[in-house]
């Protein structure tokens, strides 16, 4: 066992050092894996029923429902791992719908031969991330695929959250005159992953920003603020998020480059690898688009969570969706969607 | 284009004959794939919002939440494909919780190089299966992994259903005196897959039993019947399902082998390949464990859906969970869980 593990795996690793095809076969070995590794880590009343699904007491009202699969490599990186990512990613997607995240599912697609200890460490990360985000992992599934037909571990989480207010938080609610707030510095998750893959070393390690943002988002609603749209800055980064919103809302979003904070080490890594931090994925950052009148109070709340939160732009009328960037030297250019991708498999 | 496709893929297949890494990169190509292939197929108001998740009007009450990943190979088989399986599998898991299935998520993990037409066909199957099961695919996610790191396509669906009655449908509700009903013949899905893989030919092709069972289950509740437990007979087949229930409920479940219907072609394939049909996976069969008083009416309802539905056993008191099988020749043996698996990757 590696020192520093949060707890000891109750499945004897000497007996089953690696995941076998049989661990996904519906027999005794699969039951043992589910009991000792997953149920042990995620324990809660809904999961403990050992049924085909979880029964939830949702109360009256509207729900949000979201899913993401996670194929990040390497599985472990500075600031997190595939397990923290899978919990926080779906928690954040629910928060972006204006919902309080409550329940997650977890689907594991494991390549035969994955060290059992790796799976245990990921389950422990998920347990901790779920506790930190105040959600429960209430149902799950385990599949094992042949060697050479996976890449260690793929994870899917889906999530259900409860919407406790009457606002419609969606790209279509964005209007000219709105203000664009950014919740912190950008580019850390993508560059943390790329630095590990490329073996880059900097004075300080770049750590992923992977974190749950739901608590901050809930404070916006608890303060009675109007929020038109929320969007986390995952694949495609700030640029993709703003472009998708602008396209659906048919507005122009104008951003000031100087207003977007980027850590010095992230900027350095981007320069070495030829990336633009505005296109790099984040896992704990979001934009909030709010009416001008509510922007100062919303900003106060975002700053409590991250001192570098700030106003980065505003929304204007346009014929079609458009994002523009005013650069440091004052020139304005269109901030377009990339055609393909900068960074494969960063989430 | 293959003749017989239900509709033409709006993404020009000549331009993008295969899925590229860039289709999962968060840029314009990914947006195009999502718009033209997935949104086009699954169209509904929740999905059309193009947000990080779906907003659902659940009303008051209890929910069920379930997930499964699908790694079946081959992707297409007699009686279905990975898409029908992914919809029906999760629909059935929700029904087994006593819930009316309402909303599904869909997570695609695509290996680079998958023919785009394959993805389109799977999306069309999902569309049809969702319509047949009266559910909507309201949110989704697309990831692309490198060549050699997947097996064409893995799918995850999660589902949310609404529980419209006060009963607790779970293994723990099973009691001595209950009757075990089976909804139809067993072994078809697993043997359909294995026959294709092994190149076996029989007089009649074995077709998977893959189908949604929720409508039948809802009729049990609409008739006011008491139902203690429902369980679909997927990985590990009838044997695994009964063993899991017996273990949680700490009861003995006694089954009569003669009462379990098996198609002649399925029995033949099992004999050739050395399988026991009681351990083979099904994707449209379930057991309903009900109080004796309600068994006749429950059976009538199951028979409306499938004439071979029948009573296959009963529940008795026991110190620990146990499943016994009375064989054709009158001998009784323990029907145990297999340690590993008979059939890799059948779902």
């Amino acid at each position: 066992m590696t020192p520093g593990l949060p707890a000891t795996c109750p499945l004897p690793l000497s007996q089953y050092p690696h995941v076998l095809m049989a661990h996904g076969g519906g027999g005794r070995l699969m039951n043992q894996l589910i009991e000792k590794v997953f149920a042990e880590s995620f324990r809660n009343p809904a999961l403990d029923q050992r049924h085909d699904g979880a029964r939830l007491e949702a109360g009256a009202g509207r729900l949000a429902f979201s899913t993401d699969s996670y194929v990040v490599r390497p599985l472990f990186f500075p600031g997190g791992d595939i397990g923290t990512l899978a919990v926080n990613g779906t928690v954040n997607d629910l928060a972006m719908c204006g919902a309080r995240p409550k329940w997650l599912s977890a689907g594991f697609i494991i390549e035969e031969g994955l060290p059992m200890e790796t799976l245990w460490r990921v389950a422990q990360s998920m347990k901790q991330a779920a506790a930190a985000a105040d959600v429960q992992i209430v149902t799950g599934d385990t599949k094992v695929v042949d060697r050479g037909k996976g890449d260690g571990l793929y994870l899917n989480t889906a999530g259900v959250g409860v919407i406790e207010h009457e606002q419609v938080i969606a790209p279509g609610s964005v209007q000219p005159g709105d203000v664009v707030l950014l919740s912190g510095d950008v580019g850390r998750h993508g560059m943390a992953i790329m630095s590990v893959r490329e073996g880059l070393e900097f004075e300080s390690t770049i750590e992923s920003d992977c974190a749950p943002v739901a608590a901050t988002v809930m404070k916006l609603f608890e303060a009675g603020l109007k929020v038109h749209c929320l969007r986390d800055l995952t694949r495609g980064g700030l640029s993709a998020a703003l472009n998708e919103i602008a396209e659906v809302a048919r507005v122009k979003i104008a951003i000031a480059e100087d207003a977007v904070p980027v850590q010095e080490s992230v900027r350095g890594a981007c320069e070495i690898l030829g990336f633009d931090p505005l296109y790099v994925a984040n896992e704990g950052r979001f934009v909030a688009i709010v009416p001008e009148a509510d922007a100062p109070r919303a900003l106060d709340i975002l700053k409590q969570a991250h001192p570098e939160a700030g106003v980065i732009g505003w929304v204007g009328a346009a014929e079609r969706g458009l994002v523009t960037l005013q650069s440091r030297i004052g020139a304005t250019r269109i901030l377009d969607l990339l055609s393909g991708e900068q960074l494969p498999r960063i989430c």
Side-chain angles (χ1 to χ4, degrees), chain A residues 136-304:
Chain A
Q136 291 186 323
I137 298 168
V138 293
T139 190
D141 176 58
T142 307
K143 293 291 188 304
V144 181
V145 298
D146 332 53
R147 262 173 221 272
K149 300 292 182 189
D151 199 7
L153 176 64
Y154 299 139
L155 249 173
N156 175 284
T157 50
V160 175
V162 177
I163 300 175
E164 297 166 345
H165 53 80
E166 296 302 317
Q167 299 190 53
V168 176
I169 312 297
S173 302
V174 170
Q175 293 167 18
D178 285 353
V179 170
V180 183
L181 305 176
L182 171 64
S183 73
D185 65 307
V186 302
R188 275 163 53 185
H189 177 70
M191 296 326 293
I193 301 279
M194 290 309 290
S195 299
V196 175
R197 280 200 215 149
E198 303 290 327
L200 295 186
E201 289 195 19
F202 300 94
E203 274 179 37
S204 56
T205 305
I206 300 175
E207 294 221 339
S208 168
D209 61 307
C210 185
V213 302
T216 300
V217 168
M218 292 308 111
K219 282 185 191 150
L220 296 174
F221 298 115
E222 286 157 9
L225 298 178
K226 283 212 169 57
V227 178
H228 286 165
C229 188
L230 299 161
R231 183 62 64 110
D232 55 348
L233 313 179
T234 54
R235 273 179 293 179
L238 178 64
S239 169
L242 294 178
N243 268 285
E244 286 164 21
I245 294 169
E247 194 166 316
V248 174
R250 296 175 181 276
V251 294
K252 171 180 153 179
I253 300 180
I255 299 299
E257 189 170 20
D258 262 348
V260 178
V262 181
Q263 264 191 1
E264 214 38 61
S265 55
V266 170
R267 198 177 293 284
C270 280
E271 278 171 13
I272 291 169
L273 296 169
F275 294 135
D276 180 338
L278 301 186
Y279 290 87
V280 173
N282 313 272
E283 290 293 339
R285 298 289 179 264
F286 64 97
V287 289
I289 303 186
V290 302
E292 195 176 1
D294 285 343
R297 288 173 63 207
L299 182 58
D300 283 347
I301 290 169
L302 297 193
K303 277 185 173 294
Q304 287 166 23

Side-chain angles (χ1 to χ4, degrees), chain A residues 35-115:
Chain A
E35 287 297 320
K36 303 282 188 191
V37 174
F38 299 132
E40 182 69 26
S41 299
F42 307 149
R43 195 163 294 293
N44 60 65
L47 190 65
D48 290 349
Q49 288 207 334
R50 303 282 187 277
H51 200 26
D52 283 335
R55 214 170 48 241
L56 311 174
E57 296 291 344
R62 294 187 304 164
L63 300 174
F65 181 30
S66 187
T67 192
D68 264 326
S69 301
Y70 299 86
V71 300
V72 66
R73 55 167 193 183
L75 296 176
F76 299 86
F77 49 83
D81 60 48
I82 191 172
T84 47
L85 204 57
V87 170
N88 289 333
T90 296
V91 158
N92 290 348
D93 278 346
L94 293 171
M96 296 302 103
C97 299
R100 184 183 298 279
K102 299 276 275 183
W103 304 286
L104 298 188
S105 65
F108 293 83
I109 300 178
I110 308 167
E111 185 187 9
E112 188 186 24
L114 181 76

